[in-house]
Amino acid sequence: MADNRQKQDNRDRSKVAASEDYGVACRVLKFGASKKRALELIIKHGGSRKNFEAERARSP
């Protein structure tokens, strides 16, 4: 039986996992940051996408 799509709570969308290569790679491609810099920002902000994107917008 398939999962009930009505019971999704979107917790995964608010965080980026530094331990998952695809999450880091997505940030690298989207913002043009190096992999090392992306990992630093993910760790600094505890994986918060919102804070990561805000800091990337402030710094080139």
Side-chain angles (χ1 to χ4, degrees):
M1 182 191 290
D3 290 337
N4 185 344
R5 296 190 184 270
Q6 299 297 325
K7 293 184 178 181
Q8 292 181 344
D9 59 358
N10 296 322
R11 280 185 276 174
D12 291 339
R13 297 193 183 275
S14 67
K15 300 280 184 182
V16 178
S19 62
E20 300 292 340
D21 288 336
Y22 65 86
V24 176
C26 179
R27 302 293 101 190
V28 169
L29 289 173
K30 184 173 181 180
F31 295 102
S34 69
K35 183 175 181 178
K36 181 180 175 184
R37 181 67 176 144
L39 280 170
E40 289 171 357
L41 290 175
I42 291 169
I43 292 168
K44 177 181 177 182
H45 295 294
S48 171
R49 287 180 189 266
K50 181 181 174 183
N51 293 339
F52 177 92
E53 292 174 6
E55 182 156 338
R56 280 300 301 156
R58 287 191 304 250
S59 64

Short mmCIF file of all heavy atoms in Angstrom, two decimals:
data_model
loop_
_atom_site.label_atom_id
_atom_site.label_comp_id
_atom_site.label_asym_id
_atom_site.label_seq_id
_atom_site.Cartn_x
_atom_site.Cartn_y
_atom_site.Cartn_z
N MET A 1 0.84 -1.17 0.00
CA MET A 1 0.00 0.00 0.00
C MET A 1 0.90 1.25 0.00
O MET A 1 1.90 1.30 0.69
CB MET A 1 -0.90 0.02 1.23
CG MET A 1 -1.83 1.21 1.21
SD MET A 1 -2.73 1.51 2.73
CE MET A 1 -3.85 0.16 2.76
N ALA A 2 0.51 2.23 -0.74
CA ALA A 2 1.28 3.47 -0.84
C ALA A 2 1.09 4.34 0.41
O ALA A 2 0.10 4.22 1.13
CB ALA A 2 0.83 4.25 -2.07
N ASP A 3 2.06 5.21 0.64
CA ASP A 3 1.95 6.15 1.76
C ASP A 3 0.81 7.12 1.52
O ASP A 3 0.48 7.47 0.39
CB ASP A 3 3.24 6.95 1.92
CG ASP A 3 4.38 6.11 2.42
OD1 ASP A 3 4.12 5.08 3.04
OD2 ASP A 3 5.53 6.49 2.16
N ASN A 4 0.23 7.59 2.60
CA ASN A 4 -0.84 8.58 2.51
C ASN A 4 -0.21 9.95 2.31
O ASN A 4 0.41 10.51 3.21
CB ASN A 4 -1.67 8.54 3.79
CG ASN A 4 -2.86 9.47 3.72
OD1 ASN A 4 -2.94 10.34 2.86
ND2 ASN A 4 -3.80 9.27 4.61
N ARG A 5 -0.37 10.52 1.15
CA ARG A 5 0.23 11.81 0.83
C ARG A 5 -0.44 12.98 1.56
O ARG A 5 0.10 14.07 1.58
CB ARG A 5 0.21 12.05 -0.67
CG ARG A 5 1.06 11.03 -1.42
CD ARG A 5 1.24 11.41 -2.86
NE ARG A 5 1.97 10.41 -3.58
CZ ARG A 5 3.29 10.39 -3.69
NH1 ARG A 5 3.99 11.33 -3.12
NH2 ARG A 5 3.88 9.44 -4.37
N GLN A 6 -1.56 12.74 2.19
CA GLN A 6 -2.24 13.79 2.95
C GLN A 6 -1.59 14.00 4.32
O GLN A 6 -1.84 15.00 4.96
CB GLN A 6 -3.72 13.42 3.16
CG GLN A 6 -4.50 13.26 1.87
CD GLN A 6 -4.56 14.55 1.08
OE1 GLN A 6 -4.64 15.63 1.64
NE2 GLN A 6 -4.52 14.44 -0.24
N LYS A 7 -0.75 13.08 4.74
CA LYS A 7 -0.15 13.15 6.08
C LYS A 7 1.31 13.58 6.04
O LYS A 7 2.07 13.26 6.94
CB LYS A 7 -0.27 11.80 6.76
CG LYS A 7 -1.70 11.42 7.07
CD LYS A 7 -1.77 10.14 7.83
CE LYS A 7 -3.22 9.80 8.17
NZ LYS A 7 -3.31 8.57 8.94
N GLN A 8 1.73 14.32 5.05
CA GLN A 8 3.10 14.81 4.98
C GLN A 8 3.22 16.10 5.78
O GLN A 8 2.37 16.97 5.71
CB GLN A 8 3.51 15.06 3.54
CG GLN A 8 3.61 13.79 2.74
CD GLN A 8 4.04 14.04 1.32
OE1 GLN A 8 3.98 15.16 0.84
NE2 GLN A 8 4.45 13.00 0.65
N ASP A 9 4.33 16.21 6.52
CA ASP A 9 4.49 17.41 7.35
C ASP A 9 5.65 18.29 6.90
O ASP A 9 5.95 19.28 7.53
CB ASP A 9 4.65 17.03 8.82
CG ASP A 9 5.85 16.14 9.06
OD1 ASP A 9 6.54 15.76 8.11
OD2 ASP A 9 6.08 15.81 10.22
N ASN A 10 6.37 17.92 5.85
CA ASN A 10 7.41 18.73 5.22
C ASN A 10 8.59 19.06 6.12
O ASN A 10 9.28 20.03 5.89
CB ASN A 10 6.83 20.01 4.63
CG ASN A 10 5.85 19.73 3.54
OD1 ASN A 10 6.06 18.81 2.75
ND2 ASN A 10 4.77 20.48 3.48
N ARG A 11 8.87 18.28 7.13
CA ARG A 11 10.02 18.55 7.99
C ARG A 11 11.33 18.50 7.21
O ARG A 11 12.23 19.24 7.49
CB ARG A 11 10.09 17.55 9.13
CG ARG A 11 9.15 17.90 10.26
CD ARG A 11 9.36 16.96 11.38
NE ARG A 11 8.56 15.78 11.08
CZ ARG A 11 8.57 14.68 11.79
NH1 ARG A 11 9.35 14.56 12.82
NH2 ARG A 11 7.80 13.67 11.48
N ASP A 12 11.42 17.62 6.23
CA ASP A 12 12.66 17.47 5.47
C ASP A 12 12.98 18.69 4.63
O ASP A 12 14.13 18.93 4.29
CB ASP A 12 12.58 16.25 4.55
CG ASP A 12 12.58 14.95 5.33
OD1 ASP A 12 13.03 14.95 6.48
OD2 ASP A 12 12.13 13.95 4.76
N ARG A 13 12.03 19.47 4.26
CA ARG A 13 12.26 20.60 3.38
C ARG A 13 12.91 21.80 4.08
O ARG A 13 13.47 22.65 3.44
CB ARG A 13 10.96 21.04 2.73
CG ARG A 13 10.36 19.96 1.86
CD ARG A 13 9.28 20.52 0.98
NE ARG A 13 8.66 19.49 0.20
CZ ARG A 13 9.13 19.05 -0.97
NH1 ARG A 13 10.22 19.57 -1.47
NH2 ARG A 13 8.51 18.10 -1.63
N SER A 14 12.86 21.85 5.38
CA SER A 14 13.41 23.00 6.09
C SER A 14 14.89 22.84 6.44
O SER A 14 15.53 23.79 6.86
CB SER A 14 12.62 23.27 7.37
OG SER A 14 12.81 22.21 8.28
N LYS A 15 15.44 21.65 6.26
CA LYS A 15 16.83 21.38 6.63
C LYS A 15 17.61 20.80 5.46
O LYS A 15 17.06 20.13 4.61
CB LYS A 15 16.91 20.38 7.78
CG LYS A 15 16.22 20.82 9.04
CD LYS A 15 17.08 21.76 9.80
CE LYS A 15 16.41 22.13 11.12
NZ LYS A 15 17.16 23.06 11.88
N VAL A 16 18.91 21.06 5.46
CA VAL A 16 19.84 20.46 4.51
C VAL A 16 20.76 19.57 5.32
O VAL A 16 21.33 20.00 6.31
CB VAL A 16 20.69 21.53 3.79
CG1 VAL A 16 21.68 20.88 2.85
CG2 VAL A 16 19.82 22.51 3.05
N ALA A 17 20.91 18.32 4.91
CA ALA A 17 21.77 17.39 5.63
C ALA A 17 23.19 17.47 5.09
O ALA A 17 23.44 17.20 3.93
CB ALA A 17 21.24 15.97 5.49
N ALA A 18 24.12 17.85 5.94
CA ALA A 18 25.53 17.93 5.54
C ALA A 18 26.09 16.54 5.26
O ALA A 18 27.04 16.40 4.50
CB ALA A 18 26.34 18.62 6.62
N SER A 19 25.50 15.53 5.82
CA SER A 19 25.99 14.16 5.63
C SER A 19 25.51 13.53 4.33
O SER A 19 25.98 12.48 3.94
CB SER A 19 25.57 13.28 6.81
OG SER A 19 24.16 13.21 6.87
N GLU A 20 24.56 14.18 3.66
CA GLU A 20 24.02 13.66 2.41
C GLU A 20 24.61 14.43 1.23
O GLU A 20 24.43 15.63 1.11
CB GLU A 20 22.50 13.78 2.39
CG GLU A 20 21.80 13.02 3.50
CD GLU A 20 21.92 11.52 3.36
OE1 GLU A 20 22.20 11.02 2.25
OE2 GLU A 20 21.76 10.83 4.39
N ASP A 21 25.32 13.72 0.36
CA ASP A 21 25.99 14.36 -0.77
C ASP A 21 25.02 15.10 -1.70
O ASP A 21 25.35 16.16 -2.21
CB ASP A 21 26.78 13.34 -1.58
CG ASP A 21 28.02 12.87 -0.86
OD1 ASP A 21 28.51 13.62 0.01
OD2 ASP A 21 28.51 11.77 -1.17
N TYR A 22 23.82 14.55 -1.90
CA TYR A 22 22.89 15.20 -2.81
C TYR A 22 22.40 16.54 -2.28
O TYR A 22 22.16 17.47 -3.03
CB TYR A 22 21.70 14.29 -3.15
CG TYR A 22 20.81 13.96 -1.98
CD1 TYR A 22 19.77 14.81 -1.61
CD2 TYR A 22 20.99 12.81 -1.24
CE1 TYR A 22 18.95 14.52 -0.54
CE2 TYR A 22 20.18 12.51 -0.17
CZ TYR A 22 19.16 13.37 0.17
OH TYR A 22 18.35 13.08 1.24
N GLY A 23 22.28 16.68 -0.97
CA GLY A 23 21.86 17.95 -0.37
C GLY A 23 22.92 19.02 -0.53
O GLY A 23 22.63 20.17 -0.85
N VAL A 24 24.16 18.62 -0.33
CA VAL A 24 25.28 19.56 -0.49
C VAL A 24 25.43 19.91 -1.96
O VAL A 24 25.61 21.08 -2.32
CB VAL A 24 26.59 18.95 0.07
CG1 VAL A 24 27.76 19.89 -0.18
CG2 VAL A 24 26.44 18.66 1.56
N ALA A 25 25.34 18.92 -2.84
CA ALA A 25 25.49 19.15 -4.28
C ALA A 25 24.41 20.10 -4.79
O ALA A 25 24.68 20.97 -5.64
CB ALA A 25 25.42 17.83 -5.03
N CYS A 26 23.22 20.00 -4.26
CA CYS A 26 22.13 20.90 -4.66
C CYS A 26 22.46 22.34 -4.29
O CYS A 26 22.26 23.26 -5.07
CB CYS A 26 20.83 20.46 -3.99
SG CYS A 26 19.43 21.52 -4.36
N ARG A 27 23.00 22.54 -3.08
CA ARG A 27 23.38 23.89 -2.64
C ARG A 27 24.52 24.43 -3.50
O ARG A 27 24.55 25.60 -3.84
CB ARG A 27 23.84 23.90 -1.18
CG ARG A 27 22.83 23.40 -0.17
CD ARG A 27 21.63 24.30 -0.05
NE ARG A 27 20.55 23.67 -0.81
CZ ARG A 27 19.41 24.25 -1.09
NH1 ARG A 27 19.15 25.46 -0.74
NH2 ARG A 27 18.48 23.63 -1.78
N VAL A 28 25.46 23.57 -3.87
CA VAL A 28 26.60 23.98 -4.70
C VAL A 28 26.09 24.44 -6.07
O VAL A 28 26.47 25.50 -6.56
CB VAL A 28 27.62 22.83 -4.85
CG1 VAL A 28 28.64 23.14 -5.93
CG2 VAL A 28 28.31 22.56 -3.52
N LEU A 29 25.22 23.66 -6.67
CA LEU A 29 24.69 24.01 -7.99
C LEU A 29 23.80 25.24 -7.95
O LEU A 29 23.88 26.11 -8.81
CB LEU A 29 23.90 22.83 -8.58
CG LEU A 29 24.73 21.63 -9.01
CD1 LEU A 29 23.81 20.49 -9.41
CD2 LEU A 29 25.65 22.00 -10.15
N LYS A 30 22.94 25.32 -6.94
CA LYS A 30 21.99 26.43 -6.87
C LYS A 30 22.67 27.77 -6.61
O LYS A 30 22.31 28.79 -7.19
CB LYS A 30 20.95 26.16 -5.77
CG LYS A 30 19.87 27.21 -5.71
CD LYS A 30 18.78 26.83 -4.73
CE LYS A 30 17.70 27.89 -4.71
NZ LYS A 30 16.62 27.56 -3.79
N PHE A 31 23.69 27.78 -5.75
CA PHE A 31 24.31 29.04 -5.34
C PHE A 31 25.71 29.26 -5.88
O PHE A 31 26.31 30.30 -5.65
CB PHE A 31 24.32 29.15 -3.81
CG PHE A 31 22.93 29.23 -3.25
CD1 PHE A 31 22.34 28.13 -2.68
CD2 PHE A 31 22.22 30.42 -3.31
CE1 PHE A 31 21.06 28.20 -2.17
CE2 PHE A 31 20.94 30.49 -2.80
CZ PHE A 31 20.36 29.37 -2.23
N GLY A 32 26.26 28.26 -6.57
CA GLY A 32 27.58 28.42 -7.14
C GLY A 32 28.70 28.47 -6.11
O GLY A 32 29.76 29.00 -6.37
N ALA A 33 28.45 27.95 -4.95
CA ALA A 33 29.47 27.92 -3.89
C ALA A 33 30.33 26.68 -4.08
O ALA A 33 29.93 25.72 -4.73
CB ALA A 33 28.79 27.86 -2.53
N SER A 34 31.52 26.70 -3.51
CA SER A 34 32.34 25.50 -3.52
C SER A 34 31.74 24.49 -2.55
O SER A 34 30.97 24.85 -1.64
CB SER A 34 33.77 25.82 -3.12
OG SER A 34 33.83 26.18 -1.75
N LYS A 35 32.10 23.23 -2.71
CA LYS A 35 31.57 22.20 -1.82
C LYS A 35 32.00 22.47 -0.38
O LYS A 35 31.21 22.35 0.55
CB LYS A 35 32.04 20.82 -2.27
CG LYS A 35 31.47 19.70 -1.44
CD LYS A 35 31.86 18.34 -1.97
CE LYS A 35 31.24 17.26 -1.11
NZ LYS A 35 31.54 15.92 -1.62
N LYS A 36 33.26 22.89 -0.22
CA LYS A 36 33.78 23.18 1.12
C LYS A 36 32.99 24.32 1.77
O LYS A 36 32.60 24.23 2.94
CB LYS A 36 35.26 23.55 1.03
CG LYS A 36 35.89 23.84 2.36
CD LYS A 36 37.36 24.21 2.21
CE LYS A 36 37.95 24.61 3.54
NZ LYS A 36 39.33 25.05 3.39
N ARG A 37 32.74 25.40 1.03
CA ARG A 37 32.01 26.55 1.57
C ARG A 37 30.56 26.17 1.89
O ARG A 37 30.01 26.59 2.92
CB ARG A 37 32.04 27.71 0.56
CG ARG A 37 31.33 28.95 1.02
CD ARG A 37 32.02 29.59 2.21
NE ARG A 37 31.33 30.82 2.55
CZ ARG A 37 31.18 31.25 3.79
NH1 ARG A 37 31.72 30.62 4.79
NH2 ARG A 37 30.53 32.36 4.02
N ALA A 38 29.95 25.38 1.02
CA ALA A 38 28.58 24.94 1.26
C ALA A 38 28.50 24.13 2.55
O ALA A 38 27.59 24.34 3.36
CB ALA A 38 28.05 24.13 0.08
N LEU A 39 29.44 23.21 2.75
CA LEU A 39 29.46 22.42 3.98
C LEU A 39 29.65 23.30 5.21
O LEU A 39 29.00 23.10 6.23
CB LEU A 39 30.57 21.38 3.93
CG LEU A 39 30.26 20.12 3.13
CD1 LEU A 39 31.50 19.28 2.96
CD2 LEU A 39 29.16 19.33 3.79
N GLU A 40 30.54 24.29 5.11
CA GLU A 40 30.77 25.21 6.23
C GLU A 40 29.49 25.94 6.62
O GLU A 40 29.15 26.07 7.79
CB GLU A 40 31.85 26.23 5.88
CG GLU A 40 33.24 25.67 5.81
CD GLU A 40 34.24 26.67 5.25
OE1 GLU A 40 33.86 27.79 4.85
OE2 GLU A 40 35.43 26.31 5.21
N LEU A 41 28.76 26.43 5.60
CA LEU A 41 27.53 27.17 5.88
C LEU A 41 26.42 26.27 6.42
O LEU A 41 25.67 26.67 7.31
CB LEU A 41 27.04 27.88 4.61
CG LEU A 41 27.90 29.06 4.16
CD1 LEU A 41 27.39 29.59 2.83
CD2 LEU A 41 27.92 30.15 5.20
N ILE A 42 26.33 25.05 5.90
CA ILE A 42 25.32 24.11 6.39
C ILE A 42 25.58 23.81 7.86
O ILE A 42 24.67 23.84 8.69
CB ILE A 42 25.32 22.81 5.55
CG1 ILE A 42 24.79 23.11 4.14
CG2 ILE A 42 24.48 21.73 6.22
CD1 ILE A 42 25.00 21.98 3.16
N ILE A 43 26.83 23.54 8.19
CA ILE A 43 27.18 23.24 9.59
C ILE A 43 26.98 24.47 10.48
O ILE A 43 26.45 24.37 11.58
CB ILE A 43 28.62 22.70 9.67
CG1 ILE A 43 28.68 21.33 9.00
CG2 ILE A 43 29.10 22.63 11.11
CD1 ILE A 43 30.07 20.81 8.76
N LYS A 44 27.38 25.64 9.99
CA LYS A 44 27.24 26.88 10.77
C LYS A 44 25.79 27.16 11.13
O LYS A 44 25.47 27.58 12.24
CB LYS A 44 27.79 28.05 9.96
CG LYS A 44 27.63 29.39 10.64
CD LYS A 44 28.17 30.51 9.78
CE LYS A 44 27.95 31.87 10.43
NZ LYS A 44 28.43 32.96 9.57
N HIS A 45 24.88 26.91 10.19
CA HIS A 45 23.46 27.23 10.40
C HIS A 45 22.64 26.03 10.83
O HIS A 45 21.41 26.10 10.83
CB HIS A 45 22.88 27.85 9.14
CG HIS A 45 23.49 29.17 8.81
ND1 HIS A 45 23.33 30.27 9.60
CD2 HIS A 45 24.29 29.55 7.79
CE1 HIS A 45 24.00 31.29 9.07
NE2 HIS A 45 24.60 30.88 7.98
N GLY A 46 23.29 24.94 11.18
CA GLY A 46 22.56 23.77 11.65
C GLY A 46 21.67 23.15 10.60
O GLY A 46 20.69 22.50 10.92
N GLY A 47 21.98 23.36 9.35
CA GLY A 47 21.21 22.77 8.26
C GLY A 47 20.02 23.59 7.83
O GLY A 47 19.29 23.19 6.92
N SER A 48 19.77 24.72 8.43
CA SER A 48 18.61 25.54 8.09
C SER A 48 18.74 26.10 6.68
O SER A 48 19.65 26.86 6.37
CB SER A 48 18.48 26.70 9.08
OG SER A 48 17.50 27.62 8.64
N ARG A 49 17.82 25.72 5.80
CA ARG A 49 17.83 26.23 4.42
C ARG A 49 17.64 27.74 4.40
O ARG A 49 18.30 28.44 3.65
CB ARG A 49 16.72 25.58 3.60
CG ARG A 49 16.96 24.17 3.25
CD ARG A 49 15.79 23.64 2.43
NE ARG A 49 15.89 22.22 2.24
CZ ARG A 49 16.46 21.65 1.19
NH1 ARG A 49 16.96 22.38 0.24
NH2 ARG A 49 16.52 20.35 1.10
N LYS A 50 16.74 28.22 5.22
CA LYS A 50 16.42 29.65 5.24
C LYS A 50 17.65 30.48 5.59
O LYS A 50 17.98 31.44 4.89
CB LYS A 50 15.30 29.90 6.25
CG LYS A 50 14.87 31.33 6.35
CD LYS A 50 13.78 31.47 7.40
CE LYS A 50 13.42 32.92 7.63
NZ LYS A 50 12.42 33.07 8.68
N ASN A 51 18.36 30.10 6.64
CA ASN A 51 19.55 30.84 7.06
C ASN A 51 20.69 30.67 6.07
O ASN A 51 21.44 31.61 5.81
CB ASN A 51 19.99 30.40 8.45
CG ASN A 51 18.99 30.79 9.51
OD1 ASN A 51 18.17 31.68 9.31
ND2 ASN A 51 19.03 30.10 10.62
N PHE A 52 20.83 29.48 5.50
CA PHE A 52 21.86 29.23 4.50
C PHE A 52 21.64 30.15 3.30
O PHE A 52 22.56 30.82 2.84
CB PHE A 52 21.82 27.76 4.04
CG PHE A 52 22.80 27.43 2.95
CD1 PHE A 52 24.05 26.97 3.26
CD2 PHE A 52 22.45 27.58 1.62
CE1 PHE A 52 24.96 26.66 2.26
CE2 PHE A 52 23.35 27.28 0.61
CZ PHE A 52 24.61 26.82 0.93
N GLU A 53 20.43 30.19 2.79
CA GLU A 53 20.12 31.01 1.62
C GLU A 53 20.26 32.49 1.91
O GLU A 53 20.72 33.26 1.07
CB GLU A 53 18.73 30.67 1.10
CG GLU A 53 18.67 29.25 0.53
CD GLU A 53 17.29 28.81 0.12
OE1 GLU A 53 16.35 29.64 0.17
OE2 GLU A 53 17.15 27.64 -0.25
N ALA A 54 19.91 32.90 3.11
CA ALA A 54 20.06 34.32 3.49
C ALA A 54 21.53 34.73 3.51
O ALA A 54 21.89 35.80 3.01
CB ALA A 54 19.42 34.58 4.84
N GLU A 55 22.38 33.88 4.06
CA GLU A 55 23.81 34.20 4.11
C GLU A 55 24.42 34.17 2.71
O GLU A 55 25.25 35.00 2.38
CB GLU A 55 24.57 33.27 5.03
CG GLU A 55 26.04 33.65 5.09
CD GLU A 55 26.74 33.20 6.35
OE1 GLU A 55 26.08 32.97 7.36
OE2 GLU A 55 27.97 33.11 6.30
N ARG A 56 24.03 33.24 1.88
CA ARG A 56 24.55 33.18 0.52
C ARG A 56 24.12 34.40 -0.27
O ARG A 56 24.85 34.89 -1.11
CB ARG A 56 24.08 31.91 -0.21
CG ARG A 56 24.84 30.69 0.14
CD ARG A 56 26.31 30.79 -0.17
NE ARG A 56 26.54 31.05 -1.59
CZ ARG A 56 27.63 31.61 -2.08
NH1 ARG A 56 28.60 31.97 -1.29
NH2 ARG A 56 27.76 31.82 -3.36
N ALA A 57 22.97 34.94 0.01
CA ALA A 57 22.48 36.14 -0.69
C ALA A 57 23.30 37.38 -0.28
O ALA A 57 23.52 38.27 -1.07
CB ALA A 57 21.01 36.37 -0.40
N ARG A 58 23.77 37.38 0.98
CA ARG A 58 24.55 38.50 1.47
C ARG A 58 25.99 38.49 0.97
O ARG A 58 26.59 39.52 0.76
CB ARG A 58 24.59 38.50 3.01
CG ARG A 58 23.31 38.92 3.65
CD ARG A 58 23.52 39.14 5.14
NE ARG A 58 24.08 37.95 5.76
CZ ARG A 58 23.42 37.16 6.61
NH1 ARG A 58 22.20 37.45 6.93
NH2 ARG A 58 24.00 36.11 7.14
N SER A 59 26.57 37.30 0.81
CA SER A 59 27.98 37.20 0.40
C SER A 59 28.10 36.60 -0.99
O SER A 59 27.39 35.66 -1.31
CB SER A 59 28.75 36.36 1.41
OG SER A 59 28.27 35.04 1.42
N PRO A 60 28.99 37.13 -1.80
CA PRO A 60 29.15 36.60 -3.17
C PRO A 60 29.79 35.25 -3.23
O PRO A 60 30.38 34.73 -2.41
CB PRO A 60 30.05 37.63 -3.84
CG PRO A 60 30.66 38.44 -2.77
CD PRO A 60 29.82 38.24 -1.54
#
